[in-house]
Amino acid sequence: MFEIGGVLASPVPDALLRDTDLLDTVPARSTVPVLAALRPLLPGGGLRPGSVVGLDGLGAASLGLALAAGVAGDDRWCGVVGLPGFGVVAAVGMGAAPDRLLLVDDPGDRWPDVVAALAEAVDLILLCPPERPGAAAVRRLTALARKHGCVLTLTGAFARDWPGTRLRLRVEDVGWEGLADGHGRLTGRRVRIVAEGHDAPGSGRGVRVWLPASDGAVRPDEAVRPPLELVPDAVADGAPVHTGPGYARPGRREIA
């Protein structure tokens, strides 16, 4: 065991100590990585270093796992604070390296100190605040995250009580696959993830993904097809004609 901000946490491999010694010499990267299936959702294909991200909706816990996997599977470090039920096995199935996850299950009332200590050493912190955060804690931790380029990701009952959150990721349209007539086995879950806020690429922009797929990974939902269009060329007699919503292009006619 070791201490973070005076709180016992999971053991830190020696590699972390070597990495933190080099924090000042490692060049800053433009974005903090996410899994490939989530990249179309975010400007630049990743999370902005030093930003605060809120997670909402049924399935937000799995989305937190996916964000942790995107970081911890890319030779970076991820801290998880206040989530004793964090699914390490599920995160590994999504691509996380377990020795890149630092878990502080129960930080107690010292949770701001734990987050402050981790912000200097990891690229993303998944935090479930145990209480409504006070203004002083919000200012301090937001400033530290910005200073060190750490993404502070909020989940749980108080995730929306953090002022200044510029990006929110919401899980909606949740549907499990695998059951038929009340029998069977759950094999995967389809969801839509929507990005909102000042750091979102556009109002209500979303992606449909498996969270998770049958093998535990996060993948694009390939059942979603792009809209069909009518082209101006003649259609042979007897050939099928497809209609559906589409977008207008020069020389093409939008289908109502």
Side-chain angles (χ1 to χ4, degrees):
M1 302 294 288
F2 70 102
E3 287 192 2
I4 296 179
V7 178
L8 290 177
S10 301
V12 179
D14 292 339
L16 176 59
L17 302 179
R18 294 194 296 271
D19 286 353
T20 53
D21 290 339
L22 299 174
L23 280 176
D24 293 335
T25 62
V26 176
R29 302 184 189 181
S30 58
T31 61
V32 173
V34 298
L35 297 176
L38 304 180
R39 290 171 192 164
L41 187 64
L42 303 167
L47 298 168
R48 183 167 59 85
S51 62
V52 179
V53 179
L55 306 182
D56 294 320
L58 185 64
S62 293
L63 180 55
L65 290 173
L67 294 180
V71 172
D74 192 58
D75 294 331
R76 298 191 181 202
W77 294 92
C78 176
V80 182
V81 180
L83 287 164
F86 180 81
V88 175
V89 174
V92 171
M94 294 178 182
D99 57 353
R100 293 275 171 171
L101 297 170
L102 303 180
L103 310 179
V104 186
D105 292 346
D106 185 11
D109 57 5
R110 298 288 304 277
W111 67 268
D113 296 330
V114 172
V115 174
L118 282 172
E120 301 182 26
V122 303
D123 294 277
L124 183 142
I125 298 173
L126 180 60
L127 168 64
C128 180
E131 59 188 357
R132 182 169 287 104
V138 169
R139 286 194 301 269
R140 175 192 177 197
L141 298 180
T142 300
L144 284 172
R146 186 180 301 114
K147 175 183 177 181
H148 297 291
C150 173
V151 176
L152 185 56
T153 306
L154 307 168
T155 188
F158 301 108
R160 280 196 164 272
D161 295 323
W162 197 284
T165 303
R166 295 176 57 89
L167 176 65
R168 294 192 182 278
L169 302 179
R170 186 179 73 254
V171 181
E172 59 182 33
D173 295 345
V174 178
W176 283 95
E177 299 286 328
L179 294 181
D181 296 328
H183 300 280
R185 182 178 179 181
L186 295 175
T187 57
R189 176 173 57 183
R190 285 187 169 112
V191 304
R192 182 172 184 259
I193 304 174
V194 178
E196 300 174 322
H198 294 289
D199 288 349
S203 177
R205 181 171 179 177
V207 295
R208 293 188 179 274
V209 300
W210 287 97
L211 185 68
S214 58
D215 60 355
V218 180
R219 292 198 176 89
D221 184 356
E222 297 178 352
V224 179
R225 295 287 184 260
L228 297 174
E229 300 171 345
L230 244 185
V231 296
D233 301 328
V235 178
D237 291 340
V241 177
H242 302 284
T243 61
Y247 55 90
R249 286 185 181 176
R252 298 190 177 187
R253 181 162 57 89
E254 184 177 356
I255 301 301

